[in-house]
Amino acid sequence: AQSVTQLGSHVSVSEGALVLLRCNYSSSVPPYLFWYVQYPNQGLQLLLKYTSAATLVKGINGFEAEFKKSETSFHLTKPSAHMSDAAEYFCAVSDLGSGGGADGLTFGKGTHLIIQP
Amino acid sequence: EAQVTQNPRYLITVTGKKLTVTCSQNMNHEYMSWYRQDPGLGLRQIYYSMNVEVTDKGDVPEGYKVSRKEKRNFPLILESPSPNQTSLYFCASSPLAGDEQFFGPGTRLTVL
């Protein structure tokens, strides 16, 4: 069974500063990994996904994430935070890469990103 | 426009009054799923469906029912709602189980 741990339920950064949201996963097989963003009063929107190709994945809105197998991590970064980045961010894992995935995605508990002016 | 729609978006009801939240997708996706989102708990899967007439329990199925009679629709049924089912509910679909999921806008349910 997979699991996802997101370190920090709330992360606060200044506008223009580096954004780093941490995600560690547990999976017995090569994982597929996802980052989703949820803006207030909206559904979840995919930021980026890792499917065992390049370990550095670029997504929308200037975000990127790096898959590190040795650390079982998939941290999300953005060089310079904007006020519009304030939202809830979710990391998720599935075992689709090994032919599984029947039970869909397993989500972390989410990290609320606060941008200070 | 490719999308997942849910209705209603907001619902206030009373304990024991049966309700249905509809979900429909227009992307011809095989896989559909229902989640509930609660503060501090993230998203928890209620039920999922691999295809028409194939449904299975997720992590928190108690008190819920689903059906998948058509590929595009996946309604969530609460036969006898209770206050602990007050939550934000999301429907999602994907072309393949375990791949990127497309989410609906959510249904905020309050059970008094």
Side-chain angles (χ1 to χ4, degrees), chain B residues 9 12 19 27 29 41 54 60-61 63 72 77 84 97 101 106:
Chain B
R9 293 289 313 279
I12 300 174
L19 66 92
M27 295 169 280
H29 285 169
L41 298 179
V54 180
V60 289
R72 63 184 292 130
I77 303 155
N84 64 11
Q101 292 190 3

Side-chain angles (χ1 to χ4, degrees), chain B residues 30-49:
Chain B
E30 302 280 335
Y31 186 92
M32 296 186 76
S33 183
W34 275 103
Y35 297 90
R36 61 177 289 173
Q37 183 181 13
D38 301 288
L41 298 179
L43 279 83
R44 295 179 292 168
Q45 189 179 52
I46 303 170
Y47 269 94
Y48 63 92
S49 171

Side-chain angles (χ1 to χ4, degrees), chain A residues 32 34 36 38 41-44 46 49 90 94 96 100-105 107-109, chain B residues 9 31 35 37 40-43 45 48 50 88 90 96-101 103-105:
Chain A
Y32 274 26
F34 307 82
Y36 282 84
Q38 182 183 27
N41 299 314
Q42 294 186 27
L44 279 72
L46 183 73
K49 69 178 182 181
F90 292 94
S94 84
L96 176 60
D103 51 357
L105 307 185
F107 286 86
K109 292 190 166 119
Chain B
R9 293 289 313 279
Y31 186 92
Y35 297 90
Q37 183 181 13
L41 298 179
L43 279 83
Q45 189 179 52
Y48 63 92
M50 298 283 282
L88 179 58
F90 287 103
L96 189 64
D99 204 351
E100 172 191 353
Q101 292 190 3
F103 282 80

Side-chain angles (χ1 to χ4, degrees), chain A residues 76-93:
Chain A
L76 182 71
T77 60
K78 181 174 180 177
S80 177
H82 294 172
M83 296 299 292
S84 60
D85 294 327
E88 190 85 14
Y89 292 80
F90 292 94
C91 182
V93 64

Side-chain angles (χ1 to χ4, degrees), chain B residues 86-99:
Chain B
T86 292
S87 187
L88 179 58
Y89 291 87
F90 287 103
C91 180
S93 71
S94 66
L96 189 64
D99 204 351

Side-chain angles (χ1 to χ4, degrees), chain B residues 66-83:
Chain B
V66 294
S67 68
R68 188 92 182 273
K69 296 177 182 175
E70 306 166 281
K71 196 172 188 178
R72 63 184 292 130
N73 297 322
F74 191 45
L76 179 69
I77 303 155
L78 284 72
E79 295 270 3
S80 183
S82 62

